Amino acid sequence: MKTCLATLALLLAASPAPAAPVAYAIDPSHTFPSFEADHLGISVWRGKFNKSSGKVLYDKAAGTGTVEIVTELASVDFGLDALATWARGKDFFDVRKHPRAVFKGSLQSPVDGVPTQLAGELTMRGVTRPLTLTIRSLKCIQHPMLKRDYCGADAYGSFNRDEFGLDAGKDYGFSMNVDLRIQVEAIAQP
């Protein structure tokens, strides 16, 4: 019996330990959520947000984890200052009352160990709605200068902006659908 217990203890000690999830901080200088929205049914306006932060907890072995991205709505950039100023105001984002949009989700549906979906919730203007993003690409490398794991991804999806109280232009026939893309890079924390 002692021999069996000793053998079992040796086998357990020799078994590889499961990999633990790694915490990553969003790199704000390489993360810019962007969007496309209808303008009167005749063109598509594009914009991005210049300030984001957040964190990722990623288990590469399982292809799962969690993501949180916080976007400063005052950093909206359409390439047209007058439109960005209007969007920050009370008739749209109302950044004085609602300065941030937050997406929280979980990495899911791994294929060959790489997640292909990010299922979660988007909170904007005090309203939270479910949102699932498709992960187009996700790759990790050793950062050449920092010598730590560095991951980048591109995720996309769409939502109806009027569900968040962003219904400007609806009476004029604007589509309320917004295509969202989040390009993100994140560095493993020491």
Side-chain angles (χ1 to χ4, degrees):
M1 181 69 163
K2 287 182 183 179
T3 304
C4 286
L5 289 175
T7 303
L8 181 59
L10 285 173
L11 286 173
L12 290 174
S15 299
V22 174
Y24 296 79
I26 298 295
D27 180 345
S29 63
H30 290 89
T31 301
F32 299 100
S34 62
F35 56 89
E36 295 181 347
D38 172 65
H39 185 254
L40 285 171
I42 61 172
S43 68
V44 175
W45 278 90
R46 292 174 178 85
K48 66 177 180 136
F49 295 96
N50 293 321
K51 292 184 182 175
S52 294
S53 60
K55 57 189 174 185
V56 177
L57 187 63
Y58 182 34
D59 183 337
K60 282 199 242 179
T64 60
T66 58
V67 174
E68 179 178 359
I69 297 178
V70 178
T71 301
E72 301 297 328
L73 296 175
S75 72
V76 67
D77 182 354
F78 290 96
L80 177 62
D81 290 341
L83 183 55
T85 298
W86 173 84
R88 292 180 192 109
K90 65 182 172 105
D91 293 328
F92 205 67
F93 288 131
D94 196 1
V95 298
R96 287 183 191 228
K97 285 186 181 176
H98 308 285
R100 294 173 187 86
V102 178
F103 177 81
K104 292 181 182 180
S106 61
L107 297 163
Q108 299 180 353
S109 305
V111 173
D112 297 326
V114 179
T116 60
Q117 285 193 329
L118 186 53
E121 296 180 327
L122 175 63
T123 300
M124 190 165 36
R125 287 185 51 109
V127 177
T128 301
R129 295 280 187 258
L131 177 62
T132 297
L133 302 174
T134 298
I135 299 172
R136 180 166 294 171
S137 64
L138 188 153
K139 181 179 179 180
C140 298
I141 62 169
Q142 182 176 16
H143 193 285
M145 294 173 283
L146 300 175
K147 305 301 182 202
R148 287 188 272 155
D149 204 34
Y150 194 63
C151 299
D154 185 42
Y156 66 96
S158 63
F159 63 91
N160 288 320
R161 63 182 172 90
D162 59 337
E163 292 180 355
F164 296 92
L166 303 171
D167 60 357
K170 188 174 185 176
D171 293 342
Y172 297 114
F174 283 59
S175 169
M176 294 292 103
N177 186 67
V178 173
D179 291 328
L180 174 67
R181 287 190 80 139
I182 301 177
Q183 96 197 30
V184 60
E185 293 183 19
I187 186 78
Q189 295 304 284

